[in-house]
Amino acid sequence: MESTEFTWRVRCFAILLANLFVVTNTLADQSAATKAKSLRIAVATNFTPALKEIALEFTEATNFDVSIVSGSTGKLYAQIKNGMDADLFLAADQVRIRRLVDDGMAFNDTLITYAEGRLVWWHPGSKQSFEPQDRLDIKNDVNVIAYAQPDLAPYGKAAEQALSKCFRFARSRIRFVHGENVGQTYAHVASGNADAGLVALASIKLAQSSAQSSYASVPRSCHEPIKQDAVVLKSSQNVWAARQFLQFLLSEGTQRRMTEYGYTLP
């Protein structure tokens, strides 16, 4: 009888310790987030302007400051692999995010698809559209075309696929220039260094000169979907707060705003 009572007391004590461990860890996560009061987000260039506005709303709602590191998805991925300090990674594709999860560098249960990007053909001052068979004839006044580097930027990969599948032009007269990311690609066209380019719809929507822009949305059938994933990194010192930001990103209000930025909801 005494042995049975002793065993029961040991089990109760073990359960108490386990519950205390869970509560302590949860409070520790929240305490660390409260002390830090900041998040560092690595984000693909196409989403940077939108993220800046979303981050301001998050800060107003939570009092957490957000700092942003922007670049091509490929470059940011390499930096994260090499130990870059960041709490979250918002990529322009799914492949590199899943690699981080597979390599044990990110939390699998935080992996989300937060948006689908749209690619547009931008030829300032000349409105063009795709024909019913999803073909666009590049005019003779276009000699230099800009698009992002396919090995670094998912929008560049999509642009390369679209050029091959849905555009008609004489390759002998066209020269291509590549931005490291869609931001640089947009700048090539905006500055006149390129006559036209394949850029993110978000870049057009968020530009101050968008009213004067001439662009045509590239049909989805012309390239693989640009699904954009995000994840919390295991190196984060603010895991609790980082998870809160992802919830904010997926909230109805934020998702509705993202359609205004030029994204299709996942």
Side-chain angles (χ1 to χ4, degrees):
M1 184 72 174
E2 292 180 359
S3 176
T4 301
E5 183 178 351
F6 177 76
T7 302
W8 178 80
R9 288 181 177 178
V10 169
R11 287 179 179 175
C12 289
F13 184 68
I15 293 171
L16 178 63
L17 284 179
N19 289 337
L20 182 61
F21 178 77
V22 171
V23 172
T24 301
N25 278 353
T26 301
L27 292 175
D29 286 343
Q30 295 181 3
S31 177
T34 302
K35 289 179 180 178
K37 281 293 182 183
S38 65
L39 284 175
R40 184 174 169 85
I41 303 177
V43 60
T45 306
N46 77 90
F47 197 68
T48 301
L51 180 62
K52 287 179 179 178
E53 296 186 16
I54 293 169
L56 286 175
E57 294 174 357
F58 180 76
T59 298
E60 289 177 1
T62 65
N63 289 324
F64 280 89
D65 292 326
V66 177
S67 61
I68 296 171
V69 181
S70 176
S72 66
T73 293
K75 189 172 183 179
L76 290 173
Y77 169 78
Q79 291 175 334
I80 289 169
K81 291 283 287 184
N82 288 324
M84 182 178 75
D85 178 26
D87 298 292
L88 299 108
F89 182 25
L90 275 60
D93 69 0
Q94 296 181 309
V95 175
R96 291 176 178 87
I97 291 289
R98 295 175 194 275
R99 284 179 187 168
L100 290 173
V101 171
D102 291 342
D103 290 342
M105 299 184 68
F107 294 102
N108 182 55
D109 67 322
T110 66
L111 192 157
I112 63 167
T113 299
Y114 63 93
E116 181 179 340
R118 294 301 310 277
L119 188 70
V120 298
W121 167 255
W122 183 31
H123 183 193
S126 177
K127 182 64 177 177
Q128 288 186 265
S129 60
F130 284 83
E131 297 175 8
Q133 63 269 34
D134 291 342
R135 288 281 179 176
L136 185 146
D137 288 305
I138 296 179
K139 295 182 177 180
N140 290 332
D141 59 345
V142 175
N143 298 300
V144 182
I145 296 174
Y147 66 94
Q149 292 183 26
D151 58 331
L152 291 177
Y155 279 81
K157 180 181 178 182
E160 199 168 58
Q161 292 170 348
L163 282 168
S164 175
K165 188 175 181 180
C166 292
F167 287 81
R168 284 192 290 256
F169 58 95
R171 288 190 175 273
S172 59
R173 70 173 178 81
I174 297 292
R175 181 169 64 89
F176 296 101
V177 295
H178 300 292
E180 184 180 281
N181 51 61
V182 289
Q184 289 184 10
T185 303
Y186 179 89
H188 276 307
V189 183
S191 65
N193 289 333
D195 301 312
L198 285 154
V199 302
L201 175 59
S203 298
I204 297 288
K205 289 280 190 180
L206 291 165
Q208 291 182 352
S209 59
S210 60
Q212 288 77 42
S213 299
S214 301
Y215 65 91
S217 295
V218 177
R220 286 188 175 90
S221 59
C222 295
H223 58 81
E224 295 175 2
I226 308 174
K227 298 282 189 179
Q228 304 194 194
D229 279 7
V231 76
V232 176
L233 302 171
K234 287 187 177 180
S235 59
S236 170
Q237 299 300 309
N238 303 291
V239 173
W240 181 82
R243 288 175 180 269
Q244 299 305 305
F245 184 86
L246 287 187
Q247 290 183 17
F248 186 82
L249 192 62
L250 290 179
S251 66
E252 184 178 350
T254 303
Q255 289 281 291
R256 187 170 55 250
R257 286 282 302 278
M258 282 163 57
T259 61
E260 300 172 5
Y261 297 138
Y263 296 94
T264 300
L265 300 184

